Amino acid sequence: MPVGAEGALGFAAGLAVAGGFWLGRRLSRAVPTGGGHPPRHQALDTAAALAQRKIPLESMNTYLNGFHMYADDMGRQVEASHFCMHLAPDLHQCVIFDANAKDAKLIGIEYIISAERYARLPDDEKRLWHSHHYEIKSGQLVAPGMPEMAEHAYFEDLVTTYGKTLHTWQVDRDDFPYGVPQLMMAFTEDGQIDAEKLAARDRRLGVDSDKRRANRVDIPTPHVQPQANCWQSGQSVQTALHTCAFHRTDGHGPTG
């Protein structure tokens, strides 16, 4: 066989292998993870996975793991797997799952902003946000799989930021997303997080929070705006349902 033909054949074979690998990954991601899906649903999910791009999801380029507590109850602590994208120089947006797994539950969202943007927020808005300084300095917040040097550099930037987090599924209490979204906060001092939860997370992910704390000693602790972490004053805020008038625009009732 001519040399050129051999090269072309090898290239084609390589493409076939790569294509098969790509197709296999897409098919594996398309298989429904819950039990009891009827064949019709499985076929539709598989077809959608192969035919459609999910561009916002593809842009979620950073995986962070940490812990949140409910804004009105430090005793309710939830592990949170964040998948984030850098939307603007001073704004990240994250979707939050209860695990980094195929059958993970979508439990919330978080927005992360710079200290400069936080300082410009209205005072009522500032109460909804928490600082990230302790999460990072304590080693509680980690980026699993990221090289240590890269993680350190990433958190040097993130340590001054503020987050607003809402959990839409009270996964610590219910097996279904009941109720209204709940405002969440982050820890600010030693002794607040459940040590057993933290240790279990470290074992499962193969990380060492104490080692990360030691490695981040050189990251400067920023000044924290007093309106953040509002629960530290002894009073907090939380979401709740309330009845309100409905304003119609179709001519069949009050228009407001």
Side-chain angles (χ1 to χ4, degrees):
M1 181 180 296
V3 174
E6 289 181 353
L9 184 60
F11 180 72
L15 283 179
V17 171
F21 177 74
W22 173 83
L23 182 60
R25 283 178 64 89
R26 297 203 68 175
L27 283 171
S28 69
R29 292 172 180 171
V31 175
T33 55
H37 291 285
R40 173 182 169 81
H41 290 177
Q42 295 183 39
L44 290 172
D45 289 346
T46 300
L50 293 174
Q52 297 177 312
R53 287 192 65 190
K54 289 78 175 177
I55 295 175
L57 299 183
E58 294 169 8
S59 300
M60 298 290 174
N61 50 34
T62 305
Y63 162 40
L64 305 174
N65 183 281
F67 293 86
H68 295 146
M69 65 178 180
Y70 287 78
D72 56 342
D73 189 348
M74 185 181 286
R76 296 182 64 191
Q77 304 180 7
V78 179
E79 184 179 340
S81 292
H82 307 59
F83 299 89
C84 307
M85 64 180 291
H86 211 160
L87 189 65
D90 59 355
L91 173 64
H92 297 72
Q93 59 183 11
C94 309
V95 291
I96 302 173
F97 291 81
D98 68 336
N100 185 14
K102 286 186 176 181
D103 60 349
K105 301 177 181 69
L106 174 63
I107 62 172
I109 58 172
E110 179 166 1
Y111 299 102
I112 299 173
I113 60 174
S114 66
E116 292 76 18
R117 176 171 278 201
Y118 178 83
R120 299 195 301 269
L121 295 177
D123 287 344
D124 284 347
E125 175 69 20
K126 288 178 177 177
R127 298 188 301 162
L128 307 178
W129 297 73
H130 59 267
S131 64
H132 290 130
H133 71 289
Y134 177 77
E135 285 188 274
I136 290 170
K137 293 285 291 182
S138 68
Q140 288 180 14
L141 187 64
V142 297
M146 186 181 291
E148 189 172 293
M149 185 177 297
E151 184 192 64
H152 189 282
Y154 185 84
F155 286 138
E156 285 179 27
D157 291 338
L158 208 66
V159 74
T160 60
T161 61
Y162 294 82
K164 180 165 75 171
T165 303
L166 291 166
H167 279 201
T168 54
W169 189 329
Q170 298 184 51
V171 70
D172 62 314
R173 179 174 290 178
D174 299 317
D175 61 357
F176 185 83
Y178 293 109
V180 296
Q182 295 290 288
L183 184 68
M184 309 297 284
M185 291 286 166
F187 303 105
T188 57
E189 295 179 0
D190 289 347
Q192 293 174 347
I193 194 169
D194 184 324
E196 292 185 4
K197 286 182 182 290
L198 180 62
R201 187 283 305 268
D202 283 4
R203 288 192 299 271
R204 181 167 18 86
L205 297 185
V207 301
D208 187 332
S209 298
D210 291 334
K211 181 180 178 182
R212 277 169 162 75
R213 178 196 286 259
N215 186 51
R216 298 173 189 172
V217 167
D218 63 320
I219 298 179
T221 300
H223 168 72
V224 178
Q225 296 286 336
Q227 297 97 326
N229 311 308
C230 70
W231 56 271
Q232 293 184 125
S233 69
Q235 296 290 316
S236 191
V237 291
Q238 188 53 274
T239 57
L241 286 176
H242 70 277
T243 302
C244 58
F246 178 73
H247 301 288
R248 301 186 66 146
T249 59
D250 59 0
H252 295 287
T255 62

